[in-house]
Amino acid sequence: MTLASLAALGMPASAPLQAGGGGLLYYGIVFFVLAIVAGLAGFRGVAGLSMKVARILVVVFLVLAIVTFLL
């Protein structure tokens, strides 16, 4: 799609860049921040689980990014 056709649909010009993903990294950072806040608050179980989820999401993001760059 061209920028003109996106503007006609009412979509911002940056939509094609965001449409490809980035959700994994975003949620990885969200879970990392949640782990830090939970750790500071003393909720060690929530902090540990959040850190594990964050680590998994970031690793999946990195693997998919490397595969995408190689293809």
Side-chain angles (χ1 to χ4, degrees):
M1 292 189 123
T2 64
L3 292 177
S5 63
L6 288 174
L9 293 173
M11 297 178 69
S14 62
L17 298 176
Q18 296 172 354
L24 288 174
L25 187 58
Y26 172 78
Y27 285 117
I29 293 170
V30 168
F31 275 102
F32 178 70
V33 171
L34 177 66
I36 291 174
V37 171
L40 291 174
F43 299 111
R44 299 181 84 192
V46 174
L49 184 61
S50 296
M51 198 62 198
K52 287 180 185 178
V53 171
R55 186 177 299 131
I56 290 170
L57 290 174
V58 170
V59 167
V60 169
F61 169 79
L62 289 174
V63 168
L64 290 175
I66 291 170
V67 167
T68 301
F69 288 136
L70 291 177
L71 293 179

